[in-house]
Amino acid sequence: MSGRAASIADPVRVADAPGVGLPARILDTPHRRYNPLLDEWVLVSADRTSRPWQGSRDALVRDERPPFDPECYLCPGNDRAGGAVNPEYEKTFVFTNDFAALHPDSTTERASDGMLVAEGERGTCRVLCYSRRHDLSLGALALDELRGVVDVWAEQTTELGVAYQWVQVFENRGAAMGASNPHPHGQIWAGSALPRDAVREDAGQREHRARTGSSLLLDYARKELGGPRVVAENEDWLVIVPFWAAWPFETIVIPRHRASRIADLARPARDRLAATLADLIGRYDNLFDVEFPYSMGWHQAPFSGRSVDHWQLHGHFFPPLLRSATIRKFMVGYELLAETQRDITPEAAADRLRSVSISRTEGSATPAR
């Protein structure tokens, strides 16, 4: 990795950022911002970034992984933890999780005892290995390999959508985010019910469509174009630190044209999505000169049988790092008991991500762009 390590000692004043469109008397002091996708508020307290820190610091580990690890249960040809043997796969490999959180033969029966209500959840959990190489990551894949991952996301979503209402494509990257294996992989869970955040995003987008006749996220993308929260853009994609971002360097990835699911994307849009993800993950990795931990995932229209004209495909990246590679944001105390609070403005976060090198991470099979 070749980008400079950043600190958060010099936050950008929101009043100095062009295109914000809201009064500095609010945005340059502690204030709340509204998230129309989830119908919730976020408290922004940018003056807290200089406070003394004697709390937890994560150990900085430079993880030098070999291309193949004979002990890795995701590498090709190796035994998995559940006893199965992986094929000698060359590119992507999808299998049902040996320790799945959901099962296809579960009941969907609902039972109640007064205010106590429970219902069965039917579903499946799959693992998607991005590459046979143990030493790579999603952002370090060659662009044609990353494009292949996009195609698998689309194929798996379409296949699982036949049987399940919600399909969640996601990745937990790094031990800090609970990843149990460093081999480059993500997951695809599908379930019969619509999860909490899916319900809230569905309602937010449906309400906006009913009120305005247009898409909430497409309207939002048009409002952000050329503004201080944009990290990267091309003719098909926009990467933004959302106005309502909860995590320090959170981003949302939005297609600039109508698409409800990944399968709706035409070939050029899929090509540019691969390039967009490589760009974004490269910026993340070079921000603090470390393989940036994150949880990321795609929110696609549910397979509910109802109209999904209000739904716009989008991806969320939720990274926990705050000040450096060893200091993270903790969602505790006030955040758990009241509402989310952040210590760096979205405008300052976007400025840092824009400023950082976009050279590809070590192990990349393609040259820096």
Side-chain angles (χ1 to χ4, degrees), residues 90-135:
E90 291 297 325
K91 295 184 179 178
T92 56
F93 171 49
V94 179
F95 65 92
T96 300
N97 196 315
D98 298 315
F99 303 94
L102 295 165
H103 302 286
D105 55 356
S106 295
T107 181
T108 56
E109 178 185 359
R110 172 179 285 211
S112 64
D113 179 6
M115 69 176 65
L116 308 180
V117 182
E119 66 179 16
E121 174 70 353
R122 186 173 55 84
T124 188
C125 301
R126 295 178 178 177
V127 177
L128 164 58
C129 295
Y130 300 146
S131 169
R132 66 176 289 114
R133 281 183 54 180
H134 186 75
D135 59 332

Side-chain angles (χ1 to χ4, degrees), residues 72-76 80 86 89-95 126-133 138 141 145 148-149 152-153 181 183-188:
C72 170
Y73 53 83
L74 296 181
C75 278
R80 289 211 305 273
N86 295 326
Y89 64 93
E90 291 297 325
K91 295 184 179 178
T92 56
F93 171 49
V94 179
F95 65 92
R126 295 178 178 177
V127 177
L128 164 58
C129 295
Y130 300 146
S131 169
R132 66 176 289 114
R133 281 183 54 180
L138 181 64
L141 298 178
E145 294 175 323
V149 172
V152 174
W153 287 339
N181 189 310
H183 192 100
H185 73 285
Q187 301 185 56
I188 305 165

Side-chain angles (χ1 to χ4, degrees), residues 186-206:
Q187 301 185 56
I188 305 165
W189 291 20
S192 54
L194 208 56
R196 178 201 61 203
D197 283 357
V199 169
R200 295 167 74 189
E201 288 200 357
D202 182 74
Q205 292 180 87
R206 189 180 296 277

Side-chain angles (χ1 to χ4, degrees), residues 170-326:
F170 68 98
E171 177 191 358
N172 295 321
R173 187 196 201 198
M177 302 308 292
S180 60
N181 189 310
H183 192 100
H185 73 285
Q187 301 185 56
I188 305 165
W189 291 20
S192 54
L194 208 56
R196 178 201 61 203
D197 283 357
V199 169
R200 295 167 74 189
E201 288 200 357
D202 182 74
Q205 292 180 87
R206 189 180 296 277
E207 186 278 332
H208 184 90
R209 174 81 176 191
R211 179 166 48 83
T212 68
S214 58
S215 162
L216 187 157
L217 284 175
L218 286 179
D219 285 352
Y220 176 62
R222 283 189 285 269
K223 190 169 188 64
E224 290 283 24
L225 271 175
R229 290 175 292 275
V230 174
V231 174
E233 62 182 275
N234 56 46
E235 60 188 274
D236 285 306
W237 295 93
L238 198 62
V239 179
I240 307 164
V241 177
F243 176 77
W244 54 80
W247 293 94
F249 293 95
E250 174 183 334
T251 53
I252 187 170
V253 182
I254 306 174
R256 294 175 61 179
H257 308 287
R258 181 79 178 88
S260 295
R261 303 185 182 107
I262 299 173
D264 296 340
L265 300 173
R267 292 180 62 89
R270 296 190 190 195
D271 293 341
R272 293 188 185 99
L273 175 56
T276 298
L277 293 174
D279 177 295
L280 175 58
I281 297 170
R283 291 178 190 274
Y284 275 144
D285 288 350
N286 289 333
L287 181 63
F288 295 133
D289 197 25
V290 68
E291 193 168 90
F292 217 68
Y294 58 69
S295 283
M296 67 81 69
W298 290 98
H299 281 174
Q300 308 176 73
F303 295 87
S304 60
R306 302 174 64 188
S307 169
V308 293
D309 288 348
H310 58 292
W311 257 92
Q312 179 69 3
L313 168 72
H314 57 285
H316 293 286
F317 278 78
F318 301 128
L321 297 185
L322 172 59
R323 300 189 186 194
S324 68
T326 62

